[in-house]
Amino acid sequence: MEAKVFASSQPILSLRGISKYFGGVHALEDVDFDVYPQEIVALVGDNGAGKSTLVKIIAGVHRPTKGHIFFQGQPVEIHSPHDAQALGIEIVYQELALIETRDVPANFFLGREPVKGRLGIFVDRRKMVEDTVRTLRELGIELPYLRSPVRYLSGGQRQALAIGRVMPWGGKIIIMDEPTAALGVKESRRVLDLILRLKEKGCSVIVISHNMRHVFNVADRIVVLRGGRKVGDKKKSETTPDEIVKLIVGADML
Amino acid sequence: MPVLAEERATQVLQKFFVFWDRVGILLAFIVVFIMFGALTPVFFHPINILNVIRQVSIIGVIAVGMTFVILLGGIDLSVGSIVAFTGIIAAGFQVKWGGSLFLSIVVPLLIGGGIGFLNGFISTKGKLHPFIVTLGMMSIFRGATLLVAQGKPISGMSPAFRFIGAGMIGPIPFPVILFLGCVIAAGIVLKRTVFGRYIYAIGGNEEAALLSGIMVERYKISAFTLLGFLSGMSGLILTSRLNSGELVAGQGYELDVIASVVIGGTSLMGGEGGVYGTLIGALLIGVVSNGLNLLGVQPYWQMIVKGIIVIFAVLLDRLKRRFRTT
């Protein structure tokens, strides 16, 4: 199934020859990067390898110094996070992007509240609650208190909320930067399940992670960056954690 | 078992704060209200009650606007000076510059809104704490008031203008209607509109609001503008009621206004609270002032008492945060 999807379809997102220089620092150098439909791509590499820079270029936070981006085969320019969202590229900001003092529906719809009435200024609270409940159920996210402030939720529940809320916006590609970094074993498992469920729902996911076990748990393909260059691009079925680690640290270079 | 005892104490405190959030302020108000009634027979007299709520309206209108700004995590110290400046401008149009009723109402409101806009604009675009910006504005517009008035109060308004502060609609003073109208409108805006929800969101976590594409600066400037506008309205009411544009009008109002908001349960950290609490907070401050007056307590003592109440209210908010269930 994986192989079929991989082989038979066009990439939904293609980056070609991407370079990014910050002054004299070459953060990325001539990187090609593809994401296929319904594919989970893990992006791995040491600190400073260029992972965050790469996803920020995809999310419209940075603009590449050189190179081209194609979305569903068409050349595109992503100037801002807003442009990225318009294409269906959503980035999951971690816990820091939740409002602790507000409840779950308020956080779920933050910045995209549905309105009702002719004036278009009144929030449709009922729709917010209903849609939140439905999406959370679809994703299998269980939150005990919908109507109390988010601060009463656990770390894992907050992370699930942060991920779940990008779902209803027709996101085709969802980017996560270390989604399990601050979580315990059980909570990490839940988040990984959630990533798999997003794939079932038709999304592609780009995950940055340092945790090899998590990477091999969910990823279809693993892309390795080192010193701003792509040094590995392997299907999970054709590689091992050992090989990936070697690529990350550069032990193959002899 | 000291650990258990500590846990128990924490639980009791948590329950107390949940309770306090719901009805605490209202209860405190009722207790104070009955206490003053028992101490001074005049207190419950309808004329006195009307007097209290009329006075409360002047502070309260500003406190409604201040609720928005404090919910955003901001503060505005310039409100008293805006009251004085807009008041003197209104008096000027009434007495010196042609006596147009329209101009003497509209121009001060626009000026109030304009000063508020400047407060918001300078603090957001200049990345300055609103505390310092509005402290400067407080001095600037106190000075401007003296300048415009040339050091003398401007007295003698037209009967139509006097209606704003001294008129009655049925048994209810007009300023009270203005005040309650503001409270209800603000309540609806905060609870039900996108604007209101963004005010809470920004106060709760500005960074998150930004990442969600909320135009944080625009909402901050709007809130300050609204507060300036409402301070202008308060300036009109005061000038009308006193029948004079006074040089010292509004002096010390910032304390009463901020006290009303904070006593009403809105957190100085932003993000939590609401305008109905502010209504009760303003009433509480008004009743305390009035009650102490009737008891013949020197005004100096009133200032001391109010200061203590403010510190107490902020302390309570801090404690509330510490003992919150996580």
Side-chain angles (χ1 to χ4, degrees):
Chain A
M1 176 67 187
E2 269 168 25
K4 200 181 121 219
V5 170
F6 193 60
S8 69
S9 54
Q10 288 288 314
I12 183 168
L13 179 76
S14 274
L15 278 66
R16 285 291 168 269
I18 295 288
S19 298
K20 176 69 185 176
Y21 308 146
F22 295 103
V25 180
H26 293 202
L28 289 174
E29 192 69 66
D30 195 23
V31 172
D32 293 347
F33 182 76
D34 292 308
V35 180
Y36 289 84
Q38 274 192 289
E39 186 189 31
I40 300 175
V41 183
L43 193 54
V44 299
D46 212 345
N47 291 331
K51 299 167 302 206
S52 289
T53 308
L54 186 63
V55 295
K56 279 177 179 161
I57 285 172
I58 298 170
V61 178
H62 292 323
R63 301 201 50 200
T65 313
K66 278 189 238 163
H68 301 282
I69 303 176
F70 300 89
F71 190 82
Q72 293 177 325
Q74 300 296 313
V76 290
E77 300 220 356
I78 305 175
H79 296 277
S80 68
H82 195 259
D83 287 354
Q85 281 184 357
L87 290 172
I89 300 171
E90 296 277 349
I91 187 158
V92 176
Y93 293 102
Q94 316 292 327
E95 271 188 56
L96 74 112
L98 295 178
I99 313 253
E100 298 236 309
T101 52
R102 305 297 279 162
D103 66 6
V104 174
N107 272 286
F108 209 83
F109 280 90
L110 189 63
R112 328 192 208 205
E113 289 76 0
V115 292
K116 62 179 178 188
R118 250 188 241 156
L119 289 173
I121 58 169
F122 291 106
V123 167
D124 192 344
R125 174 77 188 164
R126 185 192 286 179
K127 182 174 163 48
M128 284 172 70
V129 174
E130 284 171 359
D131 286 7
T132 306
V133 169
R134 180 154 31 77
T135 311
L136 291 179
R137 196 178 295 140
E138 271 174 30
L139 292 174
I141 301 172
E142 281 173 34
L143 299 179
Y145 342 94
L146 220 51
R147 305 240 179 176
S148 52
V150 165
R151 82 165 81 82
Y152 296 111
L153 300 178
S154 73
Q157 288 167 339
R158 288 182 215 196
Q159 189 65 286
L161 173 60
I163 295 170
R165 70 174 177 178
V166 304
M167 259 304 285
W169 314 113
K172 295 185 188 111
I173 299 177
I174 294 168
I175 302 170
M176 299 182 207
D177 194 346
E178 296 279 3
T180 55
L183 302 181
V185 175
K186 222 190 221 167
E187 301 208 302
S188 293
R189 187 62 250 169
R190 290 234 175 87
V191 168
L192 296 176
D193 286 345
L194 190 52
I195 293 173
L196 290 170
R197 218 160 299 131
L198 287 172
K199 178 185 166 183
E200 276 170 29
K201 300 266 173 205
C203 299
S204 303
V205 183
I206 304 171
V207 194
I208 295 182
S209 181
H210 277 110
N211 187 319
M212 274 309 130
R213 182 142 15 126
H214 294 170
V215 166
F216 273 81
N217 234 310
V218 296
D220 299 312
R221 196 155 52 85
I222 300 158
V223 172
V224 187
L225 294 180
R226 188 172 70 233
R229 290 179 181 276
K230 185 164 88 172
V231 294
D233 191 339
K234 309 268 182 190
K235 277 198 258 182
K236 181 172 71 181
S237 49
E238 294 165 0
T239 186
T240 61
D242 223 34
E243 187 190 11
I244 296 296
V245 170
K246 278 182 183 152
L247 286 169
I248 291 172
V249 298
D252 63 319
M253 282 175 68
L254 280 169
Chain B
M1 300 293 262
V3 177
L4 266 181
E6 207 171 280
E7 231 168 65
R8 176 113 196 88
T10 306
Q11 277 176 2
V12 169
L13 272 171
Q14 278 169 0
K15 276 191 188 138
F16 169 74
F17 284 125
V18 169
F19 170 78
W20 180 263
D21 265 350
R22 296 225 177 95
V23 293
I25 321 134
L26 190 61
L27 219 71
F29 170 70
I30 292 168
V31 167
V32 171
F33 191 73
I34 292 171
M35 190 187 77
F36 279 123
L39 288 173
T40 58
V42 215
F43 183 78
F44 281 142
H45 197 283
I47 291 178
N48 186 53
I49 298 291
L50 273 187
N51 197 24
V52 173
I53 54 176
R54 196 188 283 129
Q55 252 156 11
V56 164
S57 306
I58 294 171
I59 296 289
V61 167
I62 313 172
V64 169
M66 189 68 86
T67 307
F68 283 76
V69 166
I70 292 184
L71 277 174
L72 277 170
I75 194 90
D76 189 340
L77 302 178
S78 68
V79 289
S81 294
I82 300 178
V83 166
F85 187 68
T86 54
I88 211 80
I89 295 290
F93 275 106
Q94 278 285 298
V95 179
K96 291 182 175 172
W97 310 319
S100 157
L101 179 67
F102 178 75
L103 289 180
S104 54
I105 291 172
V106 172
V107 174
L109 290 176
L110 290 179
I111 289 179
I115 300 170
F117 175 84
L118 276 182
N119 280 332
F121 189 81
I122 297 169
S123 55
T124 53
K125 300 289 179 190
K127 314 244 180 277
L128 298 173
H129 197 286
F131 182 90
I132 204 71
V133 175
T134 58
L135 186 66
M137 288 295 194
M138 172 175 162
S139 174
I140 291 170
F141 285 97
R142 184 62 62 185
T145 304
L146 296 170
L147 205 63
V148 169
Q150 286 300 309
K152 274 183 290 185
I154 303 173
S155 310
M157 312 296 141
S158 67
F161 186 80
R162 294 227 56 201
F163 182 82
I164 302 169
M168 306 276 278
I169 290 183
I172 307 167
F174 186 59
V176 174
I177 291 175
L178 282 178
F179 173 40
L180 292 180
C182 287
V183 170
I184 292 166
I188 292 170
V189 166
L190 283 176
K191 197 111 206 175
R192 303 200 183 281
T193 68
V194 176
F195 177 79
R197 300 183 71 91
Y198 286 177
I199 298 281
Y200 281 101
I202 294 165
N205 184 346
E206 194 173 327
E207 178 80 21
L210 261 176
L211 289 174
S212 301
I214 296 172
M215 312 237 204
V216 170
E217 291 189 347
R218 187 197 283 180
Y219 286 97
K220 281 186 167 178
I221 294 172
S222 304
F224 275 100
T225 307
L226 176 70
L227 173 54
F229 178 85
L230 290 173
S231 304
M233 190 193 277
S234 175
L236 289 180
I237 298 171
L238 186 66
T239 301
S240 162
R241 201 169 99 78
L242 298 175
N243 196 17
S244 170
E246 294 286 334
L247 304 175
V248 293
Q251 209 149 48
Y253 273 20
E254 58 284 340
L255 180 76
D256 284 17
V257 168
I258 293 166
S260 302
V261 176
V262 173
I263 291 169
T266 297
S267 169
L268 279 175
M269 313 294 287
E272 286 174 291
V275 77
Y276 299 114
T278 300
L279 170 66
I280 308 289
L283 284 171
L284 186 68
I285 286 279
V287 163
V288 167
S289 289
N290 176 267
L292 292 176
N293 269 336
L294 293 181
L295 285 173
V297 178
Q298 280 180 308
Y300 316 129
W301 275 108
Q302 290 183 30
M303 294 172 76
I304 293 170
V305 169
K306 272 189 226 163
I308 292 171
I309 292 177
V310 174
I311 293 175
F312 182 74
V314 177
L315 253 172
L316 209 63
D317 180 55
R318 186 47 58 86
L319 276 175
K320 194 163 73 185
R321 284 163 182 281
R322 187 177 310 162
F323 288 103
R324 194 133 60 186
T325 29
T326 40

